[in-house]
Amino acid sequence: MRIVVAPDSFKGTIDAADAAEALSSGWCSVRSADEMRCVPMADGGEGTLAAVVSASPGARLVDVPDVAGPDGRPVRGQFALLPDGTAVVELAVASGLPLLGGELRPLTATTRGTGETVAAALDAGATRLLVGLGGSASTDGGFGLLSALGARLLDRTGHVVPDALSDLDAALDAATAFDRSRIRFAPPGGVVLLTDVTNPLLGERGAATVYGPQKGAGERELPLLERRLERLAELMGGDPSHPGAGAAGGTGYGLLAGWGAVVEPGAPAVARLLGLPGLLASADLLITGEGRYDATSLQGKAVGEVVRLAEAAGVPSSVVAGESAADGVLTLSSLAGSASAARSEPARWLHRAGATLAEQWAART
């Protein structure tokens, strides 16, 4: 048999590559003659870089030392450069919420480090850019990112508004124009934003209202963030209602309006990049999984996309999850006896899950 193993990460416990390896080795412990193909999946968020590099011969990871983290402290940026000149940037690497530790900064967190990473990718000769928008720590509308590429705020006299990064709200109040004249040119192949988020920039489904609380915004901060994004939209124009404009604290909007980017659903784009449709066309079984499988898993997420591709190819699929109430899903919590036990040793229980699926398949055939 030919088996494609394409899980997402089991967030907080094990990444997609290690999950795929554990499932594959478990299967092979029962059916060693089968042909296994591990294709770690992602939807544009956490794990996108690792997934792309692991499945793309000739791809290389490039470190960018000392870019600005979400709180301004230096962190390591990173992007993937593919043989065709495409660069892949994962926003969470330099501007992600986990980088803040326990001290969230809803009003001051910035995406500048992601912009510095993008600039480094351009310097390396990138001819096309894919930006995964997931796990953001900030609600800056992407201004920090764009500022690293040369964007500026100008006052009524045409002078640069000072300290725009350290006090963005005061800078926006003083600004009368968003200056694009010094922004670096986008690569000739364009800029594609990968996200499973369809929220607009503003309103009850917007970036501040929906995602601000995850980043530490309370009753005092939420109206301030909404006003910040409204002011950015006034200065930058574009379409703040565009699906995905609210992704990553409005970074989707910033790149759409400020740099001519386009939005694509992340999971299908990553699946194409990894060549999953072709692999499934000649497969006998798909094994996929994620930490928590529920109804939302089929709504634009990585697991739902690979299951859809398998169905289109006429290939049966098996889903493994850390936890799930759905029928037909093998859970690590049931194998381990509890969710906490499964989370403490995810590789062990994923190996067991792979073996269990192989035993079930052998009994079925």
Side-chain angles (χ1 to χ4, degrees):
M1 289 181 62
R2 289 165 293 188
I3 320 294
V4 172
V5 186
D8 197 355
S9 63
F10 286 58
K11 289 186 178 178
T13 60
I14 190 168
D15 65 27
D18 289 340
E21 177 58 32
L23 285 165
S24 177
S25 63
W27 180 283
C28 289
S29 71
V30 176
R31 295 176 58 99
S32 59
D34 290 338
E35 178 185 331
M36 311 299 292
R37 181 64 183 268
C38 291
V39 188
M41 255 299 279
D43 58 13
E46 175 190 351
T48 298
L49 280 184
V52 168
V53 171
S54 68
S56 304
R60 59 189 179 94
L61 281 175
V62 180
D63 287 340
V64 188
D66 295 336
V67 302
D71 58 2
R73 293 180 296 181
V75 299
R76 183 189 66 173
Q78 197 173 59
F79 63 90
L81 192 61
L82 309 188
D84 67 356
T86 298
V88 184
V89 174
E90 187 180 316
L91 179 140
V93 170
S95 307
L97 196 62
L99 296 172
L100 292 176
E103 187 177 355
L104 303 182
R105 298 174 180 266
L107 296 179
T108 59
T110 177
T111 54
R112 183 174 180 85
T114 299
E116 293 169 339
T117 304
V118 168
L122 296 176
D123 290 341
T127 57
R128 180 171 177 252
L129 187 66
L130 304 181
V131 184
L133 299 181
S136 167
S138 69
T139 311
D140 72 349
F143 179 77
L145 189 162
L146 292 170
S147 71
L149 297 174
R152 305 182 303 172
L153 296 174
L154 304 180
D155 63 20
R156 65 178 183 276
T157 66
H159 292 98
V160 177
V161 177
D163 302 324
L165 289 172
S166 60
D167 193 345
L168 179 56
D169 297 301
L172 288 169
D173 287 341
T176 59
F178 177 83
D179 179 23
R180 296 174 170 82
S181 66
R182 298 191 180 188
I183 294 181
R184 297 187 61 164
F185 289 114
V191 180
V192 178
L193 310 180
L194 307 179
T195 179
D196 64 353
V197 167
T198 59
N199 303 70
L201 180 69
L202 305 172
E204 63 181 15
R205 294 186 58 249
T209 303
V210 175
Y211 300 108
Q214 300 173 5
K215 304 169 187 182
E219 292 183 2
R220 182 184 74 86
E221 292 88 2
L222 287 173
L224 298 176
L225 292 174
E226 183 74 5
R227 174 56 188 153
R228 168 190 294 180
L229 298 177
E230 288 175 350
R231 183 63 182 141
L232 273 171
E234 290 169 359
L235 293 170
M236 293 177 65
D239 181 10
S241 67
H242 193 292
T251 301
Y253 166 77
L255 288 170
L256 285 163
W259 215 31
V262 297
V263 172
E264 287 190 15
V270 172
R272 289 194 302 272
L273 197 62
L274 302 182
L276 260 175
L279 291 172
L280 288 168
S282 60
D284 298 302
L285 176 68
L286 163 72
I287 300 174
T288 185
E290 63 181 350
R292 180 181 292 277
Y293 181 88
D294 56 28
T296 67
S297 299
L298 302 179
Q299 300 171 4
K301 293 189 177 181
V303 168
E305 177 61 16
V306 295
V307 168
R308 185 189 69 80
L309 289 171
E311 289 176 349
V315 176
S317 58
S318 294
V319 177
V320 176
E323 298 177 76
S324 178
D327 292 337
V329 175
L330 179 60
T331 66
L332 305 187
S333 57
S334 64
L335 291 173
S338 69
S340 60
R343 284 194 294 268
S344 67
E345 295 182 281
R348 173 189 174 187
W349 297 110
L350 282 162
H351 184 280
R352 175 71 63 83
T356 300
L357 290 175
E359 290 165 356
Q360 292 173 350
W361 189 269
R364 191 183 311 165
T365 56

